[in-house]
Amino acid sequence: MPVIVTVGEHGCAVLLKYGAVVLFNLEPVEKVAFLTKLSSQVSGSFANPETEEVEIHLNVGESERVKEGKILLHEFSVERLQIVADILAKSVVLSHYETSLATVFDQIEPFAASLQRENRSRRQSRELLRQLGTTLLVQHKIVGRVEIIDKPELLWESPQLENLYLRLEDEYEIRERHHALERKLELITQTAQTVLEFMQHSSSQRVEWYVVILIVVEILLSLYDIIFKG
């Protein structure tokens, strides 16, 4: 379960194992101070981290859900804040990789177009390998570390909060966005692999022609020796 700690006078923070942090009810000064203190414990942080904000209201009379862009809760219990934090963190992670993959998508398009040309360079091959590595790394993170579509273990101990989790998951379209990312990852991987296979095939053909040329030269030299020196 995500770790929740008290921060400032009346706030708290939920820390997720994959590097996201969700802050509740913090003053701007308290937020900056806490994140600055936390930065010393974080490695590989992003220069421009993805952020998302939402209002949370205490409302006992209505069902727990998202209404008009605000999250309504029956109480501010630790378990409920952990559920909200889990969804918000996943949403932020998805936003980050949606932006990253959009960039990769733009970069991979010229390589797909290069299938129509013959002059594919080694530099393109190295770039494709880099893009393929980036794609595999994203797959590892969103599936292995973040576990986007897996329900939090908290629901095993607090099954009464499952409806809240499902409503938040639906509101932030967690599963739909995850499936869309998967389709993009699959397309990028297939494109990179296809172009690399074409490049390798072209390289193999060149090697075969070099071998044929060497054999022909060797035969001609042998004939020369036989005819003119024999």
Side-chain angles (χ1 to χ4, degrees):
M1 292 184 291
V3 176
I4 185 168
V5 295
T6 301
V7 181
E9 292 292 329
H10 307 288
C12 64
V14 179
L15 309 177
L16 288 302
K17 63 182 180 181
Y18 44 85
V21 56
V22 182
L23 307 174
F24 293 99
N25 199 36
L26 292 185
E27 297 295 332
V29 175
E30 295 174 332
K31 174 183 174 181
V32 172
F34 178 73
L35 293 179
T36 301
K37 181 179 179 181
L38 190 65
S39 63
S40 63
Q41 308 296 322
V42 178
S43 61
S45 58
F46 299 119
N48 298 302
E50 194 78 32
T51 61
E52 191 166 339
E53 293 186 6
V54 64
E55 292 185 17
I56 302 176
H57 292 259
L58 188 65
N59 193 319
V60 181
E62 297 190 45
S63 60
E64 296 185 299
R65 58 194 174 98
V66 178
K67 182 180 180 181
E68 299 176 352
K70 302 173 183 178
I71 298 177
L72 306 181
L73 299 179
H74 287 169
E75 59 176 323
F76 293 149
S77 63
V78 169
E79 293 79 14
R80 281 173 169 79
L81 294 182
Q82 287 175 316
I83 291 294
V84 172
D86 182 83
I87 292 294
L88 292 178
K90 288 176 178 177
S91 179
V92 166
V93 170
L94 285 169
S95 296
H96 171 75
Y97 287 119
E98 284 164 352
T99 303
S100 300
L101 284 186
T103 303
V104 175
F105 229 75
D106 292 338
Q107 293 172 343
I108 208 75
E109 185 177 356
F111 296 118
S114 73
L115 291 174
Q116 301 174 350
R117 303 191 302 269
E118 295 295 332
N119 55 338
R120 292 180 288 271
S121 64
R122 290 185 178 180
R123 179 176 172 277
Q124 285 181 312
S125 181
R126 289 195 297 270
E127 182 65 19
L128 273 175
L129 286 173
R130 189 180 71 81
Q131 298 292 2
L132 189 57
T134 300
T135 303
L136 293 174
L137 185 60
V138 171
Q139 287 177 317
H140 168 72
K141 287 181 177 179
I142 65 175
V143 175
R145 291 189 186 178
V146 185
E147 300 174 339
I148 294 289
I149 58 176
D150 292 347
K151 293 182 180 179
E153 294 181 9
L154 173 63
L155 293 180
W156 289 98
E157 297 186 7
S158 304
Q160 72 277 10
L161 297 179
E162 185 165 2
N163 285 337
L164 170 62
Y165 176 83
L166 293 175
R167 285 171 180 169
L168 293 177
E169 183 186 57
D170 182 65
E171 177 66 27
Y172 284 89
E173 300 179 335
I174 300 299
R175 290 183 177 271
E176 292 81 357
R177 293 164 66 189
H178 177 263
H179 292 324
L181 270 182
E182 280 190 326
R183 289 194 295 271
K184 287 185 179 180
L185 287 167
E186 184 178 357
L187 180 58
I188 292 171
T189 302
Q190 288 178 348
T191 303
Q193 289 176 340
T194 301
V195 177
L196 284 173
E197 287 173 1
F198 269 88
M199 288 181 171
Q200 291 170 353
H201 179 67
S202 299
S203 299
S204 299
Q205 282 186 325
R206 283 197 297 270
V207 171
E208 289 174 0
W209 275 110
Y210 293 153
V211 172
V212 170
I213 292 171
L214 287 173
I215 293 173
V216 171
V217 170
E218 182 67 26
I219 292 173
L220 291 175
L221 289 174
S222 300
L223 289 174
Y224 177 82
D225 290 338
I226 293 172
I227 296 173
F228 294 99
K229 294 183 179 180

